[in-house]
Amino acid sequence: MNFEKLKKAALKAGITDIEIYESASNGIEISMFNGVVENNTSAATKVCAIRGVYQNQIVTVYEENCDDEMIPSVIERIKDNCSIKNQKDPFFIYSGDKEYPKLKEKTHDFDAFTLEDKVNLCTKLTSLMKEKSPYVQMTEVSYSEEETTTTIVNSNGLDVKRHSRYAFLVAEAVCVKDGETKTGFDYIRLENIKDADINTLAQEAVDSAVSTFGADSIASGAYPVVLDKKVVSSLLGAFANVFSADAVLKNMSFLKDKVGEAVFGNNITLMDDPLSLDAPSQSAFDDEGVASYTKAVVENGVLKTYLHNLKTAAMMNVKSTGNGYKGGVQTSVGVQPSNLYLKAGDTSLEDMIAKVGNGVYITSVTGLYAGLNPVSGSFNLQSSGFMIENGIKTKPVTLIIVSGTLQELLNNVSAVGSDFEFKRGVGAPSLMIKSMAISGK
């Protein structure tokens, strides 16, 4: 949709401000079960969210056919919807920032590989999983690739565009031994297909199943614990909303009125870094067009800032932190972190396990969103992992529940791992915890 044509028609109709948020994407999806392709599809979409201000009211209309011929219909829908609104909350059509960070352009080799090559990659991964263990009975493999271009243009002068492209390769193995069935899973994000380490991916997926054969529960009690980096990332992701100013304003965060106070241990630093090259993706601006920047949310245990969009920033009389994001094109702007991560320390995972002596190594948790409370910070999660005996990881453990609060957890970290990793939009190292309550037998 030509913005100048839209703006001209909008101003003529009495619409004082107009903005287009356009997302154009295309991608492919390949899924394979036991070496047989079940799905091989490609799709391209373009969706526009068009915001307009009429008679001091603002509305958003959505259009999948973003052609110029839809302009009259869009104008009429904006006027009609504004006429029946009685909005009192502040709204913004952002005019943009003077400067935006320059992102390093990433190169990908996805186009150098044919669709057949990508199917063959899945076939090879399937074969590798079956080679890793005689207990592998079923396999599922998927390859997904997506390219997205997002453009925001408005009548106040904002004109920004970002581009992202990525691929994921997922491996799942179902293993059976002596009538016991276990499922293992892992995935990698690809920048270049030629660099895909599918041997390690296959090994990790199979090991995560086979290593848990014979797992049993343990006696309830308080144990020294090592939390695997994947578990730490999962917890941070599940609790990420507590750092949102929107949650604070709604009394939905235990961090309300805590800015400037020590909330976690002094070895805990949490960053929000939309520019991080270690993260899967980067962004120079949020979904309101506000420039992105690197910020410490918690520094040495002290809460430094909440995360803001334009609305929450105005309500708290501060500047937006550039965290105004949509859950999808056809949703309103909320507050979300962008590459939230816990800074790594200098202790290896092996050293943490050795230092624990006797305790539990937690490698997975389930029920994250049902088993936690952002208002109190409490969690109650079904978990599994391994016993640590005399400083060595030993027998597998399952059917246990770890309980506590995020505040207690991050105030009782005795060592921060060096094994940092980003998983999707959240990054963390493993953590050594002085004591955690575990319910078992």
Side-chain angles (χ1 to χ4, degrees):
M1 185 178 292
N2 184 290
F3 177 71
E4 290 303 320
K5 289 183 179 179
L6 175 65
K7 183 172 75 169
K8 183 178 179 180
L11 293 174
K12 185 177 180 180
I15 296 172
T16 56
D17 300 275
I18 193 81
E19 177 181 272
I20 297 180
Y21 178 104
E22 181 184 280
S23 177
S25 64
N26 61 79
I28 63 173
E29 180 76 34
I30 301 166
S31 60
M32 183 175 288
F33 180 74
N34 280 345
V36 178
V37 175
E38 290 192 316
N39 180 46
N40 186 350
T41 58
S42 60
T45 61
K46 182 183 286 187
V47 182
C48 293
I50 304 163
R51 295 196 300 158
V53 178
Y54 180 69
Q55 295 179 346
N56 206 34
Q57 300 291 311
I58 188 169
V59 297
T60 305
V61 298
Y62 303 98
E63 184 58 62
E64 292 186 9
N65 181 7
C66 305
D67 296 328
D68 291 353
E69 63 191 41
M70 300 306 299
I71 290 177
S73 170
V74 167
I75 296 299
E76 285 306 309
R77 278 186 286 158
I78 289 173
K79 291 179 66 177
D80 289 345
N81 291 335
C82 280
S83 296
I84 60 175
K85 287 195 73 174
N86 184 21
Q87 178 175 291
K88 296 180 181 179
D89 289 341
F91 59 81
F92 305 88
I93 301 288
Y94 194 59
S95 59
D97 291 290
K98 291 182 179 180
E99 293 184 1
Y100 287 86
K102 298 292 189 294
L103 300 181
K104 182 180 179 181
E105 189 69 26
K106 289 189 174 182
T107 58
H108 308 280
D109 65 359
F110 305 148
D111 294 334
F113 291 80
T114 65
L115 190 59
E116 183 180 2
D117 292 332
K118 294 163 186 176
V119 171
N120 289 337
L121 180 69
C122 294
T123 302
K124 188 175 180 180
L125 178 56
T126 297
S127 298
L128 283 170
M129 282 195 286
K130 291 181 178 179
E131 292 172 7
K132 298 300 179 184
S133 171
Y135 303 122
V136 176
Q137 297 295 306
M138 291 184 290
T139 61
E140 286 194 49
V141 171
S142 66
Y143 173 90
S144 58
E145 182 183 315
E146 184 167 324
E147 182 174 18
T148 302
T149 300
T150 301
T151 306
I152 313 175
V153 187
N154 67 36
S155 54
N156 288 344
L158 179 69
D159 189 350
V160 290
K161 179 182 290 189
R162 65 171 175 248
H163 174 264
S164 68
R165 194 171 188 187
Y166 59 83
F168 280 101
L169 190 59
V170 180
E172 186 171 345
V174 178
C175 301
V176 180
K177 179 184 178 183
D178 299 331
E180 186 178 6
T181 301
K182 297 291 184 180
T183 300
F185 166 89
D186 204 0
Y187 71 91
I188 54 175
R189 178 176 173 131
L190 302 175
E191 297 290 350
N192 291 288
I193 292 176
K194 66 179 177 59
D195 298 327
D197 186 356
I198 61 173
N199 185 65
T200 299
L201 175 60
Q203 190 72 63
E204 292 288 340
V206 173
D207 283 352
S208 64
V210 173
S211 64
T212 61
F213 281 130
D216 196 7
S217 188
I218 59 176
S220 298
Y223 291 83
V225 165
V226 174
L227 291 179
D228 186 81
K229 59 190 175 184
K230 293 179 183 177
V231 173
V232 180
S233 290
S234 295
L235 279 170
L236 285 178
F239 273 112
N241 197 51
V242 302
F243 303 106
S244 159
D246 188 51
V248 171
L249 289 165
K250 294 175 179 176
N251 294 315
M252 294 294 291
S253 170
F254 66 82
L255 294 175
K256 183 178 175 63
D257 299 325
K258 299 290 186 182
V259 172
E261 296 183 16
V263 293
F264 305 134
N266 60 14
N267 54 358
I268 299 299
T269 293
L270 289 169
M271 304 295 297
D272 181 77
D273 188 3
L275 311 178
S276 173
L277 294 177
D278 293 327
S281 62
Q282 297 75 41
S283 180
F285 57 90
D286 69 5
D287 286 339
E288 295 182 298
V290 178
S292 299
Y293 66 98
T294 303
K295 68 196 76 71
V297 182
V298 175
E299 186 173 24
N300 299 326
V302 177
L303 180 64
K304 306 297 287 187
T305 184
Y306 300 127
L307 301 178
H308 289 277
N309 61 16
L310 289 170
K311 179 180 175 180
T312 64
M315 294 175 73
M316 289 191 172
N317 197 30
V318 296
K319 289 185 65 175
S320 172
T321 59
N323 290 93
Y325 287 101
K326 292 170 169 278
V329 178
Q330 298 188 35
T331 62
S332 59
V333 171
V335 179
Q336 296 178 24
S338 180
N339 298 335
L340 179 71
Y341 70 91
L342 194 158
K343 270 193 172 182
D346 56 7
T347 307
S348 69
L349 176 62
E350 293 75 17
D351 284 347
M352 283 192 284
I353 289 174
K355 288 178 180 178
V356 161
N358 295 289
V360 184
Y361 173 37
I362 303 294
T363 58
S364 70
V365 292
T366 59
L368 275 165
Y369 294 93
L372 56 83
N373 185 330
V375 179
S376 65
S378 63
F379 58 84
N380 198 44
L381 305 170
Q382 185 170 320
S383 309
S384 59
F386 299 86
M387 288 299 297
I388 300 172
E389 298 174 293
N390 298 318
I392 299 172
K393 184 181 81 172
T394 59
K395 61 186 178 183
V397 173
T398 191
L399 298 176
I400 59 174
I401 295 175
V402 295
S403 303
T405 69
L406 188 65
Q407 306 93 297
E408 292 170 349
L409 178 70
L410 296 183
N411 272 294
N412 284 283
V413 175
S414 51
V416 179
S418 57
D419 58 339
F420 179 88
E421 181 182 34
F422 259 109
K423 277 294 185 183
R424 296 192 182 273
V426 182
S430 298
L431 296 177
M432 179 177 168
I433 313 299
K434 295 173 186 175
S435 180
M436 290 187 73
I438 295 179
S439 300
K441 294 179 179 179

Coordinates of all heavy atoms in Angstrom, one line a residue, residues 231-294:
V231 N 17.2 -24.7 31.8 CA 16.2 -24.5 32.8 C 16.2 -23.0 33.2 O 15.1 -22.4 33.4 CB 16.5 -25.4 34.0 CG1 15.5 -25.1 35.2 CG2 16.3 -26.9 33.6
V232 N 17.4 -22.4 33.4 CA 17.5 -21.0 33.8 C 16.8 -20.1 32.8 O 16.1 -19.2 33.1 CB 19.0 -20.6 34.1 CG1 19.0 -19.1 34.5 CG2 19.6 -21.5 35.1
S233 N 17.1 -20.4 31.5 CA 16.5 -19.7 30.4 C 15.0 -19.8 30.4 O 14.3 -18.8 30.2 CB 17.1 -20.1 29.0 OG 18.4 -19.8 28.9
S234 N 14.5 -21.0 30.7 CA 13.1 -21.2 30.7 C 12.4 -20.4 31.8 O 11.4 -19.8 31.7 CB 12.8 -22.7 30.9 OG 13.2 -23.4 29.7
L235 N 13.1 -20.4 33.0 CA 12.5 -19.7 34.1 C 12.5 -18.2 33.8 O 11.5 -17.5 34.1 CB 13.3 -20.0 35.4 CG 13.0 -21.3 36.1 CD1 14.1 -21.5 37.2 CD2 11.6 -21.2 36.8
L236 N 13.6 -17.7 33.3 CA 13.7 -16.2 33.0 C 12.6 -15.9 32.0 O 12.0 -14.8 32.1 CB 15.1 -15.9 32.4 CG 16.2 -15.8 33.5 CD1 17.5 -15.5 32.7 CD2 15.9 -14.8 34.5
G237 N 12.4 -16.7 31.0 CA 11.4 -16.4 30.0 C 10.0 -16.4 30.5 O 9.2 -15.6 30.2
A238 N 9.8 -17.4 31.4 CA 8.4 -17.5 32.0 C 8.1 -16.3 33.0 O 7.0 -15.9 33.1 CB 8.3 -18.8 32.8
F239 N 9.2 -15.8 33.6 CA 9.0 -14.7 34.6 C 9.3 -13.3 33.9 O 9.3 -12.3 34.7 CB 9.9 -14.9 35.8 CG 9.3 -15.7 36.9 CD1 9.9 -16.9 37.2 CD2 8.3 -15.2 37.6 CE1 9.3 -17.7 38.2 CE2 7.7 -16.0 38.7 CZ 8.2 -17.2 39.0
A240 N 9.6 -13.3 32.6 CA 10.0 -12.0 32.0 C 9.1 -10.9 32.2 O 9.5 -9.7 32.3 CB 10.3 -12.3 30.5
N241 N 7.8 -11.2 32.3 CA 6.8 -10.1 32.4 C 6.9 -9.3 33.7 O 6.4 -8.2 33.8 CB 5.4 -10.7 32.3 CG 4.4 -9.6 31.9 OD1 4.5 -8.8 31.0 ND2 3.3 -9.6 32.7
V242 N 7.6 -9.9 34.7 CA 7.7 -9.1 36.0 C 8.5 -7.9 35.8 O 8.4 -6.9 36.7 CB 8.2 -10.0 37.1 CG1 7.4 -11.2 37.4 CG2 9.7 -10.4 36.9
F243 N 9.3 -7.8 34.8 CA 10.1 -6.6 34.5 C 9.4 -5.5 33.7 O 9.9 -4.4 33.4 CB 11.4 -7.0 33.8 CG 12.2 -8.0 34.6 CD1 12.3 -9.3 34.1 CD2 12.9 -7.6 35.7 CE1 13.0 -10.2 34.9 CE2 13.6 -8.5 36.4 CZ 13.7 -9.8 36.0
S244 N 8.1 -5.9 33.2 CA 7.3 -5.0 32.4 C 6.6 -3.9 33.2 O 6.0 -4.2 34.2 CB 6.3 -5.8 31.7 OG 5.2 -5.0 31.2
A245 N 6.8 -2.7 32.8 CA 6.1 -1.6 33.5 C 4.6 -1.8 33.4 O 3.8 -1.3 34.3 CB 6.5 -0.2 32.9
D246 N 4.1 -2.4 32.4 CA 2.7 -2.6 32.2 C 2.2 -3.6 33.4 O 1.1 -3.3 34.0 CB 2.4 -3.3 30.9 CG 0.9 -3.4 30.6 OD1 0.2 -2.4 30.7 OD2 0.4 -4.5 30.2
A247 N 2.9 -4.6 33.6 CA 2.6 -5.5 34.7 C 2.7 -4.8 36.1 O 1.8 -5.0 37.0 CB 3.5 -6.7 34.7
V248 N 3.7 -3.9 36.2 CA 3.8 -3.2 37.5 C 2.6 -2.3 37.7 O 2.0 -2.2 38.8 CB 5.1 -2.3 37.4 CG1 5.1 -1.4 38.6 CG2 6.3 -3.2 37.5
L249 N 2.2 -1.6 36.6 CA 1.0 -0.7 36.7 C -0.3 -1.4 37.0 O -1.2 -0.9 37.6 CB 0.9 0.1 35.4 CG 1.9 1.2 35.1 CD1 1.9 1.6 33.7 CD2 1.7 2.4 36.1
K250 N -0.3 -2.7 36.6 CA -1.5 -3.5 36.9 C -1.4 -4.3 38.2 O -2.2 -5.2 38.5 CB -1.7 -4.5 35.7 CG -2.1 -3.7 34.4 CD -2.2 -4.7 33.3 CE -2.6 -4.0 32.0 NZ -2.6 -4.9 30.8
N251 N -0.3 -4.0 39.0 CA -0.1 -4.7 40.2 C 0.1 -6.2 40.0 O -0.3 -7.1 40.8 CB -1.2 -4.5 41.3 CG -1.2 -3.0 41.7 OD1 -0.2 -2.4 42.0 ND2 -2.5 -2.5 41.7
M252 N 0.8 -6.6 38.9 CA 1.0 -8.0 38.5 C 2.4 -8.4 38.6 O 2.8 -9.3 37.9 CB 0.4 -8.2 37.1 CG -1.1 -8.1 37.0 SD -2.0 -9.4 37.9 CE -1.6 -10.8 37.0
S253 N 3.2 -7.6 39.3 CA 4.7 -7.9 39.4 C 5.2 -7.7 40.9 O 4.8 -6.7 41.5 CB 5.5 -7.0 38.5 OG 6.9 -7.2 38.7
F254 N 6.0 -8.7 41.3 CA 6.5 -8.5 42.7 C 7.6 -7.5 42.8 O 8.1 -7.1 43.8 CB 7.1 -9.9 43.2 CG 8.3 -10.4 42.4 CD1 9.5 -10.0 42.7 CD2 8.1 -11.4 41.4 CE1 10.6 -10.5 42.0 CE2 9.2 -11.9 40.7 CZ 10.4 -11.4 41.0
L255 N 7.9 -6.9 41.6 CA 9.0 -5.8 41.6 C 8.4 -4.4 41.6 O 9.1 -3.4 41.5 CB 9.8 -6.0 40.3 CG 10.6 -7.2 40.2 CD1 11.3 -7.3 38.8 CD2 11.7 -7.3 41.3
K256 N 7.1 -4.3 41.9 CA 6.5 -3.0 42.0 C 7.2 -2.1 43.1 O 7.5 -2.6 44.2 CB 5.0 -3.1 42.4 CG 4.2 -1.8 42.5 CD 2.8 -2.1 42.8 CE 2.0 -0.8 43.0 NZ 1.9 0.1 41.8
D257 N 7.5 -0.9 42.7 CA 8.2 0.1 43.6 C 9.5 -0.4 44.1 O 10.0 0.0 45.2 CB 7.3 0.3 44.9 CG 5.9 0.9 44.5 OD1 5.9 1.7 43.6 OD2 4.9 0.6 45.2
K258 N 10.2 -1.2 43.3 CA 11.5 -1.7 43.7 C 12.7 -1.1 42.9 O 13.9 -1.5 43.2 CB 11.6 -3.2 43.5 CG 10.5 -4.0 44.4 CD 10.9 -4.0 45.8 CE 9.9 -4.9 46.6 NZ 10.2 -4.8 48.1
V259 N 12.5 -0.2 42.0 CA 13.6 0.4 41.2 C 14.6 1.1 42.2 O 14.2 1.8 43.0 CB 13.1 1.4 40.2 CG1 14.2 2.1 39.5 CG2 12.2 0.7 39.1
G260 N 15.8 0.7 42.0 CA 16.9 1.3 42.8 C 17.2 0.4 44.0 O 18.1 0.7 44.8
E261 N 16.4 -0.7 44.2 CA 16.6 -1.5 45.4 C 17.3 -2.8 45.0 O 17.2 -3.3 43.8 CB 15.3 -1.9 46.1 CG 14.6 -0.7 46.7 CD 13.3 -1.1 47.4 OE1 13.1 -2.3 47.7 OE2 12.5 -0.2 47.7
A262 N 18.0 -3.5 45.9 CA 18.6 -4.8 45.7 C 17.5 -5.8 45.7 O 16.8 -6.0 46.8 CB 19.7 -5.1 46.7
V263 N 17.2 -6.5 44.6 CA 16.2 -7.5 44.6 C 16.7 -8.9 44.4 O 16.1 -9.9 44.8 CB 15.2 -7.2 43.4 CG1 14.4 -5.9 43.7 CG2 15.9 -7.1 42.1
F264 N 18.0 -9.0 43.9 CA 18.6 -10.3 43.8 C 20.0 -10.2 44.3 O 20.5 -9.2 44.7 CB 18.6 -10.8 42.3 CG 17.3 -10.8 41.6 CD1 17.1 -10.3 40.4 CD2 16.2 -11.4 42.2 CE1 15.9 -10.3 39.7 CE2 15.0 -11.4 41.6 CZ 14.8 -10.9 40.4
G265 N 20.7 -11.4 44.3 CA 22.1 -11.4 44.8 C 23.0 -10.5 43.9 O 22.7 -10.2 42.8
N266 N 24.1 -10.0 44.5 CA 25.0 -9.1 43.8 C 25.8 -9.8 42.7 O 26.6 -9.1 42.0 CB 26.0 -8.4 44.8 CG 26.9 -9.4 45.5 OD1 27.0 -10.5 45.2 ND2 27.5 -8.8 46.6
N267 N 25.6 -11.1 42.5 CA 26.3 -11.8 41.4 C 25.3 -11.9 40.2 O 25.6 -12.7 39.2 CB 26.9 -13.1 41.8 CG 25.8 -14.0 42.5 OD1 24.7 -13.6 42.7 ND2 26.2 -15.2 42.8
I268 N 24.1 -11.3 40.3 CA 23.1 -11.4 39.2 C 23.0 -10.1 38.5 O 22.7 -9.0 39.0 CB 21.8 -11.8 39.8 CG1 21.8 -13.1 40.6 CG2 20.7 -11.8 38.8 CD1 22.2 -14.3 39.7
T269 N 23.3 -10.1 37.2 CA 23.1 -9.0 36.3 C 22.2 -9.5 35.1 O 22.6 -10.4 34.4 CB 24.4 -8.4 35.8 OG1 25.1 -7.8 36.9 CG2 24.1 -7.4 34.7
L270 N 21.1 -8.9 34.9 CA 20.2 -9.2 33.8 C 20.2 -8.0 32.8 O 20.0 -6.9 33.1 CB 18.8 -9.4 34.3 CG 18.5 -10.7 35.1 CD1 17.1 -10.6 35.8 CD2 18.6 -11.9 34.2
M271 N 20.4 -8.4 31.5 CA 20.5 -7.4 30.5 C 19.3 -7.6 29.5 O 18.8 -8.7 29.3 CB 21.8 -7.6 29.7 CG 23.1 -7.5 30.5 SD 23.3 -5.8 31.2 CE 23.5 -4.8 29.7
D272 N 18.9 -6.5 28.9 CA 17.9 -6.5 27.8 C 18.7 -5.9 26.6 O 19.0 -4.7 26.7 CB 16.7 -5.7 28.1 CG 15.7 -5.8 27.0 OD1 15.0 -6.8 26.8 OD2 15.6 -4.8 26.2
D273 N 19.0 -6.7 25.7 CA 19.9 -6.2 24.6 C 19.4 -6.6 23.2 O 19.8 -7.7 22.7 CB 21.3 -6.8 24.8 CG 22.3 -6.1 23.9 OD1 21.9 -5.3 23.1 OD2 23.5 -6.5 23.9
P274 N 18.6 -5.8 22.6 CA 18.1 -6.1 21.3 C 19.2 -6.1 20.2 O 18.9 -6.5 19.1 CB 17.0 -5.0 21.0 CG 17.4 -3.9 22.0 CD 18.0 -4.6 23.2
L275 N 20.4 -5.6 20.6 CA 21.4 -5.5 19.6 C 22.5 -6.6 19.7 O 23.4 -6.6 18.9 CB 22.2 -4.1 19.8 CG 21.3 -2.9 19.9 CD1 22.1 -1.6 20.1 CD2 20.4 -2.7 18.6
S276 N 22.3 -7.5 20.6 CA 23.3 -8.5 20.9 C 23.5 -9.4 19.7 O 22.6 -10.0 19.2 CB 22.9 -9.4 22.1 OG 23.8 -10.5 22.2
L277 N 24.8 -9.5 19.3 CA 25.1 -10.4 18.2 C 25.1 -11.9 18.6 O 25.1 -12.7 17.7 CB 26.5 -10.0 17.6 CG 26.6 -8.6 16.9 CD1 28.0 -8.3 16.5 CD2 25.6 -8.5 15.7
D278 N 25.1 -12.1 19.9 CA 25.1 -13.5 20.3 C 23.6 -14.1 20.3 O 23.5 -15.3 20.3 CB 25.6 -13.6 21.8 CG 27.1 -13.3 21.9 OD1 27.8 -13.7 20.9 OD2 27.5 -12.8 22.9
A279 N 22.7 -13.2 20.2 CA 21.3 -13.6 20.2 C 20.8 -14.0 18.8 O 21.5 -13.7 17.8 CB 20.4 -12.4 20.7
P280 N 19.8 -14.8 18.8 CA 19.3 -15.2 17.5 C 18.9 -14.1 16.5 O 19.0 -14.2 15.3 CB 18.0 -16.1 17.8 CG 18.3 -16.5 19.2 CD 19.0 -15.4 19.9
S281 N 18.4 -13.0 17.0 CA 18.0 -11.9 16.2 C 18.3 -10.5 16.8 O 18.5 -10.5 18.1 CB 16.5 -12.0 15.9 OG 15.7 -11.9 17.0
Q282 N 18.3 -9.5 16.0 CA 18.6 -8.2 16.5 C 17.5 -7.2 15.9 O 16.9 -7.5 14.9 CB 20.0 -7.7 16.1 CG 21.2 -8.5 16.6 CD 21.3 -9.8 16.0 OE1 21.2 -10.0 14.7 NE2 21.6 -10.9 16.7
S283 N 17.3 -6.1 16.6 CA 16.4 -5.1 16.1 C 16.8 -3.7 16.5 O 17.2 -3.4 17.6 CB 15.0 -5.4 16.8 OG 14.0 -4.4 16.3
A284 N 16.8 -2.8 15.5 CA 17.2 -1.4 15.7 C 16.1 -0.6 16.3 O 16.3 0.5 16.8 CB 17.7 -0.8 14.4
F285 N 14.9 -1.1 16.3 CA 13.7 -0.3 16.8 C 12.6 -1.3 17.2 O 12.6 -2.5 16.8 CB 13.2 0.7 15.8 CG 12.8 0.0 14.5 CD1 11.5 -0.4 14.3 CD2 13.7 -0.1 13.5 CE1 11.1 -1.0 13.1 CE2 13.3 -0.7 12.3 CZ 12.0 -1.2 12.1
D286 N 11.7 -0.8 18.1 CA 10.6 -1.7 18.5 C 9.4 -1.5 17.6 O 9.5 -0.8 16.6 CB 10.3 -1.4 20.0 CG 9.7 -0.1 20.3 OD1 9.4 0.7 19.3 OD2 9.4 0.2 21.5
D287 N 8.3 -2.0 18.0 CA 7.1 -2.0 17.1 C 6.4 -0.7 17.2 O 5.3 -0.5 16.5 CB 6.2 -3.2 17.4 CG 6.7 -4.5 16.9 OD1 7.6 -4.5 16.0 OD2 6.3 -5.6 17.4
E288 N 6.9 0.3 17.9 CA 6.4 1.7 17.9 C 7.3 2.6 17.2 O 7.0 3.8 17.1 CB 6.1 2.1 19.3 CG 5.0 1.4 20.0 CD 4.7 1.9 21.4 OE1 5.6 1.9 22.3 OE2 3.6 2.3 21.6
G289 N 8.5 2.1 16.7 CA 9.4 2.9 16.0 C 10.5 3.5 16.9 O 11.2 4.4 16.5
V290 N 10.5 3.2 18.2 CA 11.4 3.7 19.2 C 12.8 3.0 19.0 O 12.8 1.8 19.0 CB 10.9 3.6 20.6 CG1 11.9 4.1 21.6 CG2 9.6 4.3 20.8
A291 N 13.9 3.8 19.0 CA 15.2 3.2 18.8 C 15.5 2.2 19.9 O 15.3 2.5 21.1 CB 16.2 4.3 18.7
S292 N 16.2 1.1 19.6 CA 16.6 0.1 20.6 C 17.9 0.5 21.1 O 18.8 1.1 20.5 CB 16.7 -1.3 19.9 OG 15.4 -1.6 19.4
Y293 N 18.2 0.0 22.3 CA 19.5 0.1 22.9 C 19.7 -0.9 24.0 O 18.8 -1.6 24.5 CB 19.7 1.5 23.5 CG 18.8 1.8 24.7 CD1 19.3 1.7 26.0 CD2 17.5 2.3 24.6 CE1 18.5 2.0 27.1 CE2 16.7 2.6 25.6 CZ 17.2 2.4 26.9 OH 16.4 2.7 28.0
T294 N 21.0 -1.1 24.4 CA 21.4 -2.1 25.4 C 21.2 -1.5 26.8 O 21.6 -0.4 27.0 CB 22.8 -2.6 25.2 OG1 23.0 -3.1 23.9 CG2 23.2 -3.6 26.2

